[in-house]
Amino acid sequence: MTGDLQTLRNFLLRPRIDLSPWPAERLWLPVSGGDQLAARLHARDRLGERPLVVLIHGLSGCEDSIYIRASARFWLSLGHPVLRLNLRGSQPSRPRCRGHYHGGRSEDPQSALDALVSRERSAARQGLILVGYSLGGNVLIKLLAEAGRRLPVRAAASVSAPIDLEATSERFHAPRNRLYLRWLLTLLKREAVAPPAELSAAERRAIAEARTVREFDDRFIAPRFGFADAGDYYRRCSGLRFLPEVEVPFAALHADDDPWIPDDAYAEAARIANANLRIHVTDGGGHVGFHGQGDPRPWHDRAIEAFVRAAG
């Protein structure tokens, strides 16, 4: 139960994360097909003075997810500018997105960051620190393998990333997770059909009729993005297969009591011969939890900051 309590802590307590000391401005960053990703940029005046920290949310999350706001406050309090980036089709991006994201659509944050660095040239002077949470962490790993050196990335990290999507799907659909499954599927469906999403009648029917997340991936995500089925999508987009190609300092943080993501893929990741990788599996922490007593800052924020400092 400890892992579940860590996972549910923010949902149950709904802590208020005050970011008002660091006013943010709305940015719209272009991606393919005419869509734009919404983002919140805090402390623009610090661009060029300290590395810009970019935070990428997980499945059905957004810039206002509590873990994103908590991390934003952590990094802002250390003097960094922060960008809270929303994926394509998430609630803040949806007004200017007809399309949708998935666990391997790394070209979207890549395009958005390209546009940001081009627009805010001072951001490149001190470089970027990229942090991805849950599914956003998987997207980030693929991005780093494809474009990590082309972008001015100083260091990066993932928190509770499902680096083996097939194994994560199996674990998530276990009977013990049925309440999680029902909750997440409801959010996924609502997000996918929100206007102005561009969907065919068949896609709307597939979304409505999906009874599991795997069915949602098999009947909507896979055909929409050219995968043979959910299994093909999971195989081709799992972060584990991209870790050998990461060419920047990268830390992957995971808890052994995560109720959704099994440990096996992280044990395999730890055996990869890539000096840029640091794989850290803790004895507890749940899924994007890592809450402790005596410090309101989640352990993962403190661990990533220490990793970034060590990486130089």
Side-chain angles (χ1 to χ4, degrees):
M1 282 296 294
T2 303
D4 293 297
L5 291 174
Q6 285 278 349
T7 302
L8 294 170
R9 184 258 191 189
N10 285 339
F11 177 78
L12 296 174
L13 298 183
R14 309 302 297 178
R16 182 175 180 270
I17 309 297
D18 183 15
L19 298 179
S20 61
W22 307 278
E25 57 186 285
R26 168 66 77 208
L27 300 183
W28 292 98
L29 302 172
V31 292
S32 63
D35 284 352
Q36 296 179 337
L37 305 189
R40 291 281 186 192
L41 175 62
H42 298 262
R44 174 193 285 275
D45 58 315
R46 298 176 187 171
L47 290 175
E49 298 177 4
R50 301 291 298 274
L52 172 65
V53 179
V54 179
L55 307 176
I56 305 173
H57 63 82
L59 189 65
S60 78
C62 73
E63 64 185 29
D64 282 323
S65 295
I66 292 172
Y67 58 88
I68 293 288
R69 293 182 65 88
S71 291
R73 181 177 62 184
F74 173 84
W75 289 101
L76 286 163
S77 69
L78 294 178
H80 288 268
V82 170
L83 184 80
R84 292 184 281 150
L85 180 64
N86 297 281
L87 296 176
R88 188 190 303 235
S90 65
Q91 187 271 327
S93 293
R94 180 54 83 191
R96 299 192 185 184
C97 285
R98 293 168 296 169
H100 201 62
Y101 66 92
H102 65 74
R105 202 166 191 185
S106 51
E107 63 271 22
D108 281 359
Q110 178 183 331
S111 296
L113 293 175
D114 280 338
L116 177 69
V117 171
S118 176
R119 184 184 304 176
E120 307 288 344
R121 295 190 179 276
S122 59
R125 277 206 299 271
Q126 292 294 325
L128 308 175
I129 298 168
L130 308 182
V131 185
Y133 302 80
S134 194
L135 194 74
N138 190 79
V139 174
L140 173 59
I141 293 169
K142 187 168 178 284
L143 165 63
L144 294 174
E146 295 165 342
R149 279 298 180 195
R150 190 169 61 75
L151 289 165
V153 179
R154 292 183 59 149
S158 65
V159 180
S160 303
I163 59 174
D164 182 337
L165 294 171
E166 182 70 54
T168 298
S169 178
E170 291 179 10
R171 168 72 67 82
F172 195 77
H173 289 86
R176 65 145 352 254
N177 286 326
R178 61 186 178 276
L179 293 180
Y180 289 129
L181 176 65
R182 186 184 308 166
W183 163 75
L184 184 60
L185 186 60
T186 298
L187 295 179
L188 288 178
K189 290 184 175 186
R190 183 184 306 158
E191 184 180 66
V193 302
E198 194 171 79
L199 299 165
S200 68
E203 286 176 321
R204 290 184 182 277
R205 186 165 57 252
I207 292 167
E209 293 177 354
R211 295 166 298 172
T212 66
V213 174
R214 190 181 186 100
E215 283 191 8
F216 179 90
D217 290 339
D218 194 63
R219 299 184 58 187
F220 172 54
I221 295 294
R224 184 177 182 86
F225 294 102
F227 302 107
D229 53 24
D232 183 47
Y233 159 46
Y234 297 157
R235 283 189 298 274
R236 289 166 58 184
C237 294
S238 289
L240 182 62
R241 67 179 295 221
F242 296 99
L243 284 173
E245 309 305 320
V246 171
E247 296 184 1
V248 299
F250 176 74
L253 310 182
H254 177 64
D256 66 359
D257 63 354
D258 189 316
W260 303 351
I261 301 172
D263 287 347
D264 295 356
Y266 282 88
E268 187 174 344
R271 295 192 291 270
I272 294 173
N274 183 341
N276 294 303
L277 304 182
R278 296 293 182 271
I279 309 299
H280 195 146
V281 178
T282 65
D283 291 334
H287 186 76
V288 195
F290 301 104
H291 309 291
Q293 294 182 341
D295 195 327
R297 304 169 303 171
W299 170 82
H300 59 72
D301 288 328
R302 291 175 279 135
I304 293 169
E305 192 271 335
F307 171 75
V308 169
R309 271 192 287 110

